Amino acid sequence: MRGSRQMLLNLFCILWLPLLLMAASPSPLASGNYPSAPSLFSGMYKGHTCVGCVLVVSVVEQLAQWHNSTVKAALERLCNYIPEDLQGFCYLLAELYGPHLAELIDREMNADVVCHSLKLCKQDTGQPLCHLYPPPKVGLSTAIRKAKRIMKTSKDLKSIMGFSNLCAFPLLDKLCEKIKYVIRNKLPFEDFDGDKFSTFPTLRGYHWRGRDCNDKNSTVYPGRRPDNWDVKSDSNCNGIWGVDPKDGIPYEEKFCKGADSRGVVLLGDSAGAHFHIPPEWMTVTQMSVKAFANLPMAFTDELDWPQFSEITGFLNSTIGGWTDSLYLRLRRRNRCNHRDLQNISQNGGSSANFLDLIKSLSRNQLLDNPAIVVYATIGNDVCNGERDTLAHMTTPKQMLSNVMQALQFLNSHLPKGSHVILTGLVDGRFLWDNLHDRYHPLGQLNKDVTYSQLYSFLNCLQVSPCSGWLTSNETLRNLTSERALQLSNVLKEIARSEKFSNFDIFYMDFPLRQTAAEWRQMGGEPWQLIEPVDGFHPSQIAAALGTNITWQKALHEWPQVLGKENPFNNQIEAIFKDQGGH
């Protein structure tokens, strides 16, 4: 399995360009509508490949400029930055593409022209040529025709472009199918006992769900009630087990009996999964070996960082800001809750595809503790990359049906005494208002790419994470927010009127404006609350501040949700301090 792990990491990074941009534009997928293996791994996934090409060529061009080097040397420099085990394939691409990129760039052809000439950007019939940068003086069409004539002379490029589907290779086909299974079902790649928990961090492992403490026994997993008070072993992975020699009472019984133990589960989208592309990957003045050290981990976590997220984060942030989460606060309140977390989120998650996503929940009504479930699809029901975006938004009627189906599923799986919090949709006008005239990381060196240009480029390719909000069309932005409010009102009415036998239900608005106000009081700027590379998701700072707002609301309005404070926390930490790691 170790060899399979390393092979998988290498495969993800060999295919990093298409995967990066598919995740970078996490528009919602319809229920059950996942890309097939060939389209997912061939790098030809429509506009995402175009975005990937433009970004990579831009970085190479800027590296050459910043270090006053040739394009070939810049490509080699980029290869030297990535982890050593992954450099071989990068050097191969540098050898094949370097001379041709150099010739085009030396003739002052920008990244848009290069990628159109390589046919990695394609023009749909009747649609304009999509471009990130201002067109060349001779015109974009003329420049592309000129570049294509140069490309026709390259036998090397013709041969490599024939190998577009790496998953067709015999040594990779089974691994690709396994990756496809993980992506589709949101279950751990490595789970020997099939209990949906893992001892491996990424690939839907313990970054997403509490770490399994025995992956050879399906009755041992985070969140279950202790088996015989865990006298002989730790059945719920909270690190508390054995018998106190002073009085013969099991530690689980002494410290956790009647302690209102509960887990936290997130049903979320890319914001809940905490999507993040490190800006230093695209800012040549900040690039280094250290900057790319986390590349394998990032890709095998789908460019999500759930271990730092607002609801289930548990590790100190390494991507700026700080980590504060609902899970960490519940754990501090009651140490018996250790490792009882599940982040069931996906890039592009919406109320429709939640109906498939929710099936990966692990909760046994008879054996497990109650859970706090946060239902948070904060944008994708109004966000899509379609040109006629309004026609593709979820309607209030559809929202009601989708959410009620999800709640009925939860009622049949959650233990009695659980709680569900419905989170309203965000008002995404905040994005354009605070970013549109700022420079994107890719445009900071030459002051030539603003977020407005990036949004237009993504909209043209129909891969925008949100055509309705990431647009210069103020009327469309307002209509999108109007629909978002209508859908939030559906959630609010469900929380007010519906009753379920195994959980109570609450509603809260997404606290973006409140978060921004708090951040201003701390001396910050609103744009710092948005992810700098994609210009769409909440940043690490926003996630941490949002946790505090959610906690304070629960503490004052729904104290029953959080459970009692455990008076034995200090004793537990003193006795089991070596068992408290995540």
Side-chain angles (χ1 to χ4, degrees):
M1 180 56 71
R2 290 187 181 275
S4 180
R5 282 180 179 177
Q6 188 58 52
M7 186 178 180
L8 184 67
L9 292 175
N10 290 346
L11 176 62
F12 262 67
C13 293
I14 287 172
L15 300 166
W16 73 276
L17 181 130
L19 289 173
L20 167 62
L21 273 305
M22 275 194 296
S25 301
S27 52
L29 299 170
S31 181
N33 182 18
Y34 296 89
S36 62
S39 67
L40 184 60
F41 296 108
S42 66
M44 301 302 291
Y45 193 64
K46 292 191 71 176
H48 299 94
T49 303
C50 178
V51 181
C53 178
V54 170
L55 293 185
V56 172
V57 172
S58 297
V59 166
V60 171
E61 184 178 8
Q62 290 184 22
L63 276 172
Q65 176 188 346
W66 180 249
H67 294 281
N68 194 26
S69 71
T70 65
V71 172
K72 189 174 185 293
L75 272 168
E76 292 173 350
R77 184 184 298 275
L78 183 60
C79 291
N80 286 332
Y81 287 149
I82 68 175
E84 186 175 353
D85 290 344
L86 307 170
Q87 290 178 0
F89 187 78
C90 186
Y91 287 133
L92 173 62
L93 291 180
E95 286 296 322
L96 289 168
Y97 281 94
H100 311 290
L101 291 180
E103 184 171 4
L104 293 177
I105 292 172
D106 287 343
R107 297 189 187 199
E108 298 185 352
M109 295 183 182
N110 64 24
D112 296 316
V113 176
V114 171
C115 294
H116 276 285
S117 67
L118 292 173
K119 299 183 180 179
L120 295 176
C121 291
K122 297 183 178 181
Q123 180 184 17
D124 291 338
T125 303
Q127 297 298 327
L129 285 166
C130 301
H131 58 93
L132 178 62
Y133 295 93
K137 293 179 180 179
V138 297
L140 188 57
S141 297
T142 301
I144 291 171
R145 285 195 297 270
K146 183 178 179 181
K148 283 182 176 179
R149 286 195 294 270
I150 298 172
M151 290 296 99
K152 283 181 180 180
T153 65
S154 172
K155 293 181 180 179
D156 290 338
L157 283 177
K158 289 179 182 179
S159 62
I160 192 172
M161 291 176 73
F163 294 100
S164 62
N165 184 8
L166 292 178
C167 285
F169 286 85
L171 294 178
L172 298 180
D173 56 350
K174 290 183 179 179
L175 192 54
C176 285
E177 284 302 310
K178 181 66 175 179
I179 297 171
K180 181 183 174 185
Y181 173 84
V182 171
I183 292 173
R184 181 176 63 246
N185 294 290
K186 308 304 176 190
L187 293 173
F189 177 81
E190 184 173 289
D191 177 18
F192 294 113
D193 57 15
D195 60 6
K196 301 183 181 180
F197 295 90
S198 177
T199 59
F200 189 64
T202 63
L203 297 167
R204 291 283 163 169
Y206 68 77
H207 282 172
W208 300 83
R209 302 166 186 254
R211 189 203 298 247
D212 202 341
C213 52
N214 186 341
D215 207 18
K216 297 180 180 179
N217 187 340
S218 62
T219 67
V220 175
Y221 54 86
R224 67 157 292 165
R225 295 189 178 99
D227 179 19
N228 191 31
W229 293 114
D230 285 358
V231 170
K232 295 183 177 180
S233 62
D234 187 6
S235 67
N236 56 17
C237 303
N238 68 0
I240 303 170
W241 65 282
V243 176
D244 189 338
K246 296 177 182 178
D247 52 24
I249 299 175
Y251 288 116
E252 266 278 4
E253 183 178 5
K254 175 178 286 191
F255 296 142
C256 301
K257 184 178 181 180
D260 275 355
S261 298
R262 61 201 58 206
V264 60
V265 178
L266 173 66
L267 290 172
D269 50 22
S270 50
H274 204 34
F275 183 86
H276 167 80
I277 299 175
E280 54 269 25
W281 288 4
M282 296 188 187
T283 310
V284 296
T285 58
Q286 299 176 17
M287 285 185 179
S288 65
V289 171
K290 182 179 178 181
F292 283 91
N294 56 14
L295 185 145
M297 181 189 72
F299 280 103
T300 49
D301 265 336
E302 304 161 43
L303 289 177
D304 295 321
W305 307 71
Q307 69 272 32
F308 307 142
S309 63
E310 178 177 346
I311 303 300
T312 64
F314 59 89
L315 294 178
N316 291 329
S317 172
T318 60
I319 57 174
W322 64 98
T323 301
D324 190 6
S325 71
L326 181 59
Y327 162 73
L328 282 177
R329 294 200 176 205
L330 283 170
R331 185 188 180 279
R332 286 197 294 268
R333 191 173 181 84
N334 180 4
R335 172 59 177 74
C336 300
N337 293 328
H338 182 57
R339 289 189 184 172
D340 194 357
L341 63 100
Q342 296 180 57
N343 191 315
I344 306 175
S345 300
Q346 73 175 37
N347 298 335
S350 66
S351 66
N353 55 39
F354 271 16
L355 299 179
D356 284 329
L357 185 66
I358 200 172
K359 295 174 185 176
S360 65
L361 171 71
S362 175
R363 217 63 179 180
N364 186 301
Q365 286 186 315
L366 299 178
L367 298 178
D368 297 350
N369 287 317
I372 302 170
V373 178
V374 179
Y375 182 105
T377 169
I378 67 170
N380 287 324
D381 282 281
V382 297
C383 287
N384 56 73
E386 303 291 340
R387 288 193 171 92
D388 187 8
T389 182
L390 293 172
H392 290 82
M393 293 179 184
T394 302
T395 66
K397 183 177 179 180
Q398 291 169 333
M399 189 74 168
L400 176 62
S401 174
N402 293 338
V403 176
M404 287 302 299
Q405 288 181 67
L407 293 175
Q408 288 158 6
F409 178 92
L410 290 174
N411 198 44
S412 66
H413 286 74
L414 292 177
K416 200 170 186 63
S418 295
H419 310 276
V420 173
I421 300 173
L422 302 178
T423 303
L425 279 69
V426 69
D427 184 349
R429 290 176 292 192
F430 183 90
L431 303 169
W432 178 269
D433 292 346
N434 289 286
L435 282 184
H436 74 277
D437 56 353
R438 298 188 62 84
Y439 288 112
H440 184 268
L442 207 60
Q444 288 176 5
L445 181 65
N446 296 310
K447 307 302 180 189
D448 56 355
V449 178
T450 63
Y451 284 95
S452 177
Q453 289 170 254
L454 175 68
Y455 296 157
S456 296
F457 180 50
L458 298 178
N459 282 327
C460 179
L461 292 169
Q462 297 186 68
V463 295
S464 171
C466 197
S467 300
W469 278 324
L470 307 184
T471 174
S472 59
N473 187 331
E474 183 179 5
T475 300
L476 184 54
R477 298 199 303 270
N478 290 337
L479 288 172
T480 303
S481 289
E482 183 180 316
R483 176 61 61 85
L485 180 59
Q486 292 170 357
L487 300 185
S488 294
N489 287 335
V490 170
L491 297 173
K492 189 181 297 185
E493 178 59 22
I494 290 173
R496 187 194 69 80
S497 61
E498 297 293 337
K499 305 295 179 186
F500 296 88
S501 58
N502 287 319
F503 57 82
D504 49 16
I505 187 167
F506 305 92
Y507 170 85
M508 70 172 292
D509 291 322
F510 186 83
L512 179 57
R513 297 290 176 183
Q514 196 174 346
T515 300
E518 192 169 312
W519 182 233
R520 283 193 189 95
Q521 289 179 357
M522 296 170 67
E525 296 289 337
W527 59 268
Q528 295 169 317
L529 300 175
I530 307 168
E531 277 292 322
V533 172
D534 61 66
F536 179 63
H537 294 92
S539 69
Q540 183 66 34
I541 295 170
L545 292 174
T547 295
N548 184 59
I549 293 168
T550 300
W551 182 266
Q552 293 302 323
K553 183 175 180 65
L555 200 61
H556 293 99
E557 298 182 25
W558 327 312
Q560 70 273 32
V561 171
L562 305 179
K564 297 183 295 187
E565 218 166 332
N566 193 328
F568 300 109
N569 282 337
N570 290 337
Q571 289 177 256
I572 297 171
E573 290 293 351
I575 297 172
F576 298 100
K577 60 183 178 181
D578 295 331
Q579 306 294 321
H582 285 89

